[in-house]
Amino acid sequence: MTDPADLTVTIVDGYVDEPAHFGVPPYISTYPRFTAGAVVDAGVPESNVVYHTIDELREDRQKWRDVADADLMIYIGGMTVPGKYVGGTPAEPDEVRELAWVAEGTALMGGPIRFGVGDENAGGQDMERKDLDYDFVAKGDIEAAAFDLVESGLEGFGNRMRDNEELDRWAAKGAFVVEQHPNHPEYLICEMETSRGCAYRCSFCTEPLYGNPAFRTADSVVKEVENLYNRGARHFRLGRQADILAFGGDGEAPNPDALRRLYGGIREVAPDLGTLHLDNVNPITIVGWPEKSREALRIIAEHNTAGDTAAFGLESADPLVQEENNLNVSADECFEAVKIVNEVAGWRPGDDPTDAPTHGPDAANRLPKLLPGINLLHGLKGEREETFEHNKRFLQRVYDEGLMVRRINIRQVMAFDGTDMSDTGADIARDHKQLFKQYKQEVREEIDRPMLRRVAPPGTVLPNVHLEYHQDGRTFGRQLGTYPLLVGIPGERELGKNIDIAVVDHGYRSVTGVPYPLDFNDASMDELTAIPGIGRSTAGDIVVNRPYADAGEVGNVGVDADISKYVQ
């Protein structure tokens, strides 16, 4: 029997991406934090717990010694929705298997990877359950398995789900792990769980496999935020739930009072937080309880930080696909929900909330407080050529009505055992691959770019853009938050820094920006020519006539462009 006090534990984070849970950097998911707290609660000293991301292990082979030497190596990962990532690269199956081979102690695997593994982390795939050569695979909660395994002296565990009392302890005890994340503290956002499970049963989704919604108390979540805040965390996302509006209720109807306790409590214990965002909102909740939803949305917009996104799972605007996949919201209902969020929370800091949605030349130069995001999923049962037209008509209607959505997420299904899509698999997605690519490009050109111009017009200021990488003579970065805009900045700037930028141009899902406020005595030619209305000739005149006592003098060299948006 191994004494827990003598155990060494290495947790490897291969990253997760679920319908209601995100953990690819700059995010850290709940799983490694809860698991670390569980093993500490079982008796392992905090100092004996090592945490590494898969990217750390790729970059520094010496850190594999922590994998090899640990008495217990715990791998956490799994992608149940496909995505493209900038801040990190999720572990591929071969890498996960290599971890098990290297580990000389006991190897435990868990997280959403238990639902299935494909050949790669991409859409349009059939997923299978595989043990990948691990000693133990947690078929229930990885944190519960880790706790029981340590308590048993590494002899075994029964697959089970943890209860909320355990979760409260483990969430508190595991906060220390964030200090070991390579992004800590400046560029790390903590995914927070308010509930898991779902009251609905869409055909493709893995969230119902967690059962009906099980809510934490507001006090429990607030206490976890306080512990993380005390460990240096400043960025938080309430992303681990199927529907934030249903928090503290029956799983369907909104509970504004519970949200007031949750958001107000977070602001009290984390007074200097940098980000407070959310993820999932079920549009059927808004349509079913419009007045309660309006109150709940007002509370969120009062306490959150700007640029927040409420992801709506429309999935398909085609009535046939909706029926065959048990989707719970129609296109008309989703449109109504989009409208309500715009009317309540689509205002910008500096604007009057009663004027929402605010956009156009008189709007403040910040992103709106909270906008919907639209999820569209392809390869579902019943999909046909008309499905793509239904979706495009819905998106065009939203735009034509003067409404805003923060982003449109178009992806193909991943088929998992235990969901209704397991019988159909990814066959439809594969058959429609070419049609899907053409349609996706049309949406990007016809909807995404004009919508982005509405949401973030030239002159919109994005504070604290973290500079991540160089490409083609430009520097790219993002703010922390839910679905942040990718920002391209002319020139190669020092990476790892945060700067404020002002938007000057738009791609399909990204923007070009210049430093804000722009110093016309120091700006490069590329930065000057990025400003709408300034060509290379005018930019040359600006450079030749330096210095300027103030931005007003720049106009004396024949600048016709409106530069007031780019100076304070």
Side-chain angles (χ1 to χ4, degrees), residues 33-57:
R33 303 184 337 244
F34 294 171
T35 302
V39 299
V40 169
D41 193 37
V44 178
E46 188 178 299
S47 59
N48 284 11
V49 180
V50 173
Y51 167 84
H52 289 311
T53 68
I54 188 65
D55 282 313
E56 280 185 274
L57 297 180

Side-chain angles (χ1 to χ4, degrees), residues 1 36 55 120 134 157 168 198 214 216 238 327 356 377 409 529:
M1 177 90 174
D55 282 313
E120 58 178 334
Y134 279 68
F157 59 88
D168 290 348
C198 188
R216 300 173 70 183
L238 305 175
L327 306 183
L377 185 60
N409 188 19
T529 55

Side-chain angles (χ1 to χ4, degrees), residues 466-471 474-478 486-489:
H466 186 82
L467 306 182
E468 293 184 281
Y469 65 95
H470 297 139
Q471 182 176 312
R474 294 197 292 172
T475 304
F476 288 85
R478 296 175 297 172
L486 181 64
V487 182
I489 305 164

Side-chain angles (χ1 to χ4, degrees), residues 20 50 77 120 127 215 240 271 283 331 335 343 381 416 456 494 518 565:
V50 173
E120 58 178 334
M127 313 299 280
F215 293 99
R240 182 67 181 101
F335 177 84
E343 291 172 348
K381 291 183 289 184
F416 288 88
E494 183 180 356
L518 189 64
K565 300 175 182 178

Side-chain angles (χ1 to χ4, degrees), residues 198-219:
C198 188
Y200 303 99
R201 296 293 183 267
C202 300
S203 69
F204 60 91
C205 189
T206 57
E207 191 60 24
L209 300 180
Y210 290 105
N212 289 323
F215 293 99
R216 300 173 70 183
T217 65
D219 288 345

Side-chain angles (χ1 to χ4, degrees), residues 18-351:
E18 300 182 86
H21 200 176
F22 200 44
V24 181
Y27 292 86
I28 181 170
S29 74
T30 65
Y31 291 117
R33 303 184 337 244
F34 294 171
T35 302
V39 299
V40 169
D41 193 37
V44 178
E46 188 178 299
S47 59
N48 284 11
V49 180
V50 173
Y51 167 84
H52 289 311
T53 68
I54 188 65
D55 282 313
E56 280 185 274
L57 297 180
R58 291 177 181 128
E59 293 166 6
D60 186 354
R61 292 297 300 187
Q62 291 186 358
K63 292 182 178 180
W64 283 78
R65 291 307 317 167
D66 293 328
V67 175
D69 294 345
D71 297 312
L72 174 61
M73 190 280 290
I74 304 173
Y75 172 78
I76 297 169
M79 320 300 287
T80 64
V81 293
K84 294 183 178 179
Y85 312 102
V86 174
T89 303
E92 294 287 355
D94 287 347
E95 293 178 304
V96 181
R97 186 178 284 108
E98 184 183 3
L99 289 165
W101 293 343
V102 169
E104 296 172 8
T106 301
L108 168 66
M109 177 174 70
I113 195 169
R114 68 188 175 92
F115 294 131
V117 180
D119 295 329
E120 58 178 334
N121 296 320
Q125 287 199 82
D126 300 313
M127 313 299 280
E128 298 179 24
R129 291 190 174 96
K130 300 174 183 177
D131 66 13
L132 298 176
D133 298 333
Y134 279 68
D135 299 309
F136 297 103
V137 178
K139 299 300 197 313
D141 284 327
I142 180 60
E143 54 266 40
F147 178 86
D148 293 347
L149 188 59
V150 169
E151 276 213 323
S152 75
L154 303 184
E155 306 237 342
F157 59 88
N159 288 304
R160 68 179 181 89
M161 309 300 277
R162 39 84 172 163
D163 58 39
N164 278 344
E165 184 179 338
E166 289 176 316
L167 176 57
D168 290 348
R169 297 200 313 270
W170 299 344
K173 291 177 182 288
F176 72 93
V177 158
V178 298
E179 295 181 325
Q180 298 185 40
H181 196 288
N183 287 31
H184 180 271
E186 290 87 2
Y187 196 50
L188 185 66
I189 183 165
C190 298
E191 188 85 322
M192 306 301 300
E193 177 179 321
T194 69
S195 71
R196 64 176 182 178
C198 188
Y200 303 99
R201 296 293 183 267
C202 300
S203 69
F204 60 91
C205 189
T206 57
E207 191 60 24
L209 300 180
Y210 290 105
N212 289 323
F215 293 99
R216 300 173 70 183
T217 65
D219 288 345
S220 171
V221 179
V222 169
K223 181 63 177 176
E224 184 184 0
V225 169
E226 183 177 23
N227 290 336
L228 291 164
Y229 188 83
N230 291 338
R231 295 282 187 166
R234 292 294 181 269
H235 307 279
F236 306 92
R237 188 180 86 144
L238 305 175
R240 182 67 181 101
Q241 72 275 314
D243 183 3
I244 188 64
L245 295 187
F247 174 73
D250 61 4
E252 297 184 47
N255 186 337
D257 289 339
L259 285 169
R260 189 175 288 108
R261 291 194 299 273
L262 175 66
Y263 273 86
I266 289 173
R267 280 294 192 171
E268 184 174 340
V269 301
D272 294 322
L273 63 77
T275 306
L276 180 57
H277 279 188
L278 60 88
D279 191 5
N280 293 298
V281 169
N282 195 330
I284 202 64
T285 303
I286 298 174
V287 175
W289 295 271
E291 293 312 310
K292 281 188 173 183
S293 294
R294 285 177 181 271
E295 183 180 356
L297 291 164
R298 275 192 290 269
I299 292 166
I300 293 170
E302 176 187 349
H303 291 91
N304 72 348
T305 54
D308 202 356
T309 306
F312 281 5
L314 171 60
E315 315 306 352
S316 180
D318 184 345
L320 177 62
V321 176
Q322 292 166 5
E323 181 179 354
E324 293 203 17
N325 294 274
N326 200 30
L327 306 183
N328 59 48
V329 63
S330 70
D332 286 342
E333 290 168 331
C334 189
F335 177 84
E336 183 63 22
V338 168
K339 184 178 179 183
I340 288 173
V341 174
N342 270 259
E343 291 172 348
V344 176
W347 52 276
R348 303 164 193 261
D351 287 335

